[in-house]
């Protein structure tokens, strides 16, 4: 792998050289090193490796709602129109957005803000094909529900902690309780898809955390070293080991889960 490190260093020096004659830099030597060191797993002429690794698919069911200010009788009549019937589309995704429940504004007897907690499976219920959520636009309101139809080898969760209004960005501090291993997503697949999806169990391999306020916070990342099974915490240039049970106490923001293949499933069972 020395060649890859060498070519990367050369590319960085070219990029930041204040005496560059040209205004652009070619990464060709760096890309050739990637091809050689990966034994042609990654090639210059072949794209979409990211799609193969992270892309899944889902069904999105949408139903238009009558305006809330209309009389009840008029609402009832509108619901029989074609415009208000439920529709379904197939869609791909690169990550799943998990919505947090609204954080409470009240304080406890010690005048400390109560930080709520929610199980991971509660916020995953958004994708069970049954749970409906209302979405509002400037003119219209819709009910939507989602059902997964394909699980990718690596699944990204984005926990929606930040909401933006006209004045500022708010952060939801809710702690998500999640297991580190053995998260089975079979129940979020439609029945016909479950029959062909052999492996639906995932293990966490990376956890990105946001600490502090939205405007002046900092990021940490927890990563699993696959060879040793140990977890490490990275923040800037600092790398320290961390116990797996400590990871679940953090304000997780983005997570990457790896799907088990047949060999890993058998080893876990043994």
């Amino acid at each position: 792998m020395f060649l890859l490190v060498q070519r990367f260093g050369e590319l960085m020096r070219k990029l930041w050289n204040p005496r560059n004659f040209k205004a652009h830099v070619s990464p060709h030597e760096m890309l050739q090193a990637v091809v050689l060191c990966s034994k042609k797993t990654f090639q210059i002429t072949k794209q979409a490796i990211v799609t193969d690794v992270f892309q899944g698919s889902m069904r999105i069911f949408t139903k238009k709602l009558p305006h809330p200010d209309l009389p009840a009788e008029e609402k009832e009549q509108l619901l029989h129109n074609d415009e208000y019937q439920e529709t379904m589309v197939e869609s791909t995704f690169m990550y799943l957005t998990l919505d947090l429940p609204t954080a409470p504004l009240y304080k406890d007897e010690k005048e400390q803000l109560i930080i709520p907690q929610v199980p991971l499976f509660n916020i995953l219920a958004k994708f069970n094909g049954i749970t409906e959520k209302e979405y509002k636009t400037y003119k219209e309101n819709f009910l939507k529900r989602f059902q997964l139809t394909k699980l990718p080898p690596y699944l990204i969760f984005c926990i929606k902690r930040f909401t933006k209004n006209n004045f500022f960005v708010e952060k939801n501090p809710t702690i998500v309780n999640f297991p580190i291993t053995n998260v089975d997503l079979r129940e979020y697949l439609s029945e016909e898809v479950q029959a062909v999806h052999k492996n639906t169990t995932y293990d966490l391999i990376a956890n990105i955390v946001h600490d502090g306020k939205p405007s002046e916070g900092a990021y940490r990342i927890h990563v699993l070293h696959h060879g040793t099974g140990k977890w490490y915490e990275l923040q800037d240039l600092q790398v320290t080991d961390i116990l797996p049970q400590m990871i679940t106490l953090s304000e997780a923001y983005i997570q990457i889960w790896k799907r088990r293949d047949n060999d890993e499933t058998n080893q876990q069972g043994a």
Side-chain angles (χ1 to χ4, degrees):
M1 301 298 288
F2 176 75
L3 177 64
L4 183 60
V5 176
Q6 183 182 22
R7 292 290 183 256
F8 180 74
E10 291 172 355
L11 180 61
M12 290 299 101
R13 287 193 292 273
K14 289 178 183 178
L15 280 173
W16 295 101
N17 186 353
R19 294 185 293 275
N20 269 345
F21 179 73
K22 296 181 179 179
H24 62 274
V25 172
S26 172
H28 189 72
E29 293 84 359
M30 167 70 184
L31 293 175
Q32 284 184 322
V34 171
V35 175
L36 290 172
C37 293
S38 68
K39 298 179 181 179
K40 297 187 178 181
T41 300
F42 302 99
Q43 300 185 44
I44 299 175
T45 56
K46 184 179 179 182
Q47 300 180 359
I49 186 65
V50 173
T51 301
D52 294 338
V53 171
F54 293 110
Q55 183 172 279
S57 61
M58 68 171 74
R59 291 172 183 159
I60 303 176
F61 301 86
T62 305
K63 183 165 56 178
K64 184 178 177 181
L65 296 176
H67 195 280
D69 294 337
L70 292 176
E73 292 183 1
E74 189 172 346
K75 288 182 184 178
E76 186 67 26
Q77 291 177 350
L78 287 173
L79 290 175
H80 293 288
N81 294 347
D82 291 342
E83 183 183 357
Y84 291 86
Q85 301 307 303
E86 186 176 70
T87 60
M88 187 274 287
V89 295
E90 299 274 356
S91 178
T92 58
F93 65 86
M94 300 300 289
Y95 61 90
L96 297 178
T97 300
L98 306 182
D99 304 315
L100 292 174
T102 304
L105 300 177
Y106 54 84
K107 299 181 180 181
D108 62 13
E109 64 275 6
K110 296 181 181 180
E111 288 298 306
Q112 298 293 318
L113 280 174
I114 297 175
I115 299 178
Q117 301 185 33
V118 61
L120 174 65
F121 291 101
N122 282 25
I123 56 179
L124 273 173
K126 171 182 178 181
F127 299 100
N128 63 11
I130 301 172
T131 303
E132 292 182 320
K133 183 181 179 183
E134 186 172 352
Y135 290 82
K136 298 181 179 181
T137 64
Y138 179 70
K139 293 182 178 180
E140 299 171 323
N141 296 349
F142 298 89
L143 276 182
K144 291 192 176 187
R145 54 190 180 95
F146 308 88
Q147 187 166 46
L148 304 181
T149 55
K150 180 187 175 184
L151 294 172
Y154 291 84
L155 186 59
I156 300 176
F157 290 160
C158 180
I159 299 171
K160 193 175 180 182
R161 293 200 172 274
F162 303 99
T163 54
K164 186 178 181 180
N165 57 33
N166 294 330
F167 305 100
F168 52 85
V169 177
E170 291 182 295
K171 180 185 175 184
N172 189 324
T174 299
I175 299 294
V176 178
N177 297 321
F178 55 90
I180 298 293
T181 60
N182 203 31
V183 171
D184 192 353
L185 301 181
R186 180 169 295 276
E187 65 179 281
Y188 303 99
L189 295 169
S190 57
E191 290 185 5
E192 70 273 16
V193 175
Q194 289 183 18
V196 296
H197 246 294
K198 295 181 179 179
N199 301 320
T200 58
T201 302
Y202 285 79
D203 299 317
L204 185 69
I205 60 171
N207 182 57
I208 300 175
V209 179
H210 183 273
D211 297 314
K213 299 179 180 179
S215 57
E216 52 191 51
Y219 290 94
R220 293 178 289 132
I221 181 170
H222 303 128
V223 293
L224 174 67
H225 186 265
H226 189 70
T228 61
K230 292 184 177 180
W231 281 90
Y232 294 89
E233 180 176 281
L234 288 71
Q235 186 170 22
D236 297 329
L237 298 179
Q238 296 181 342
V239 180
T240 56
D241 54 357
I242 184 173
L243 295 174
Q245 54 266 37
M246 298 301 295
I247 296 173
T248 62
L249 302 177
S250 61
E251 294 182 18
Y253 181 33
I254 296 173
Q255 296 182 329
I256 301 178
W257 297 77
K258 181 180 183 295
R259 190 179 65 200
R260 294 182 186 174
D261 58 26
N262 289 329
D263 293 337
E264 290 172 316
T265 302
N266 293 335
Q267 289 173 6
Q268 292 286 340

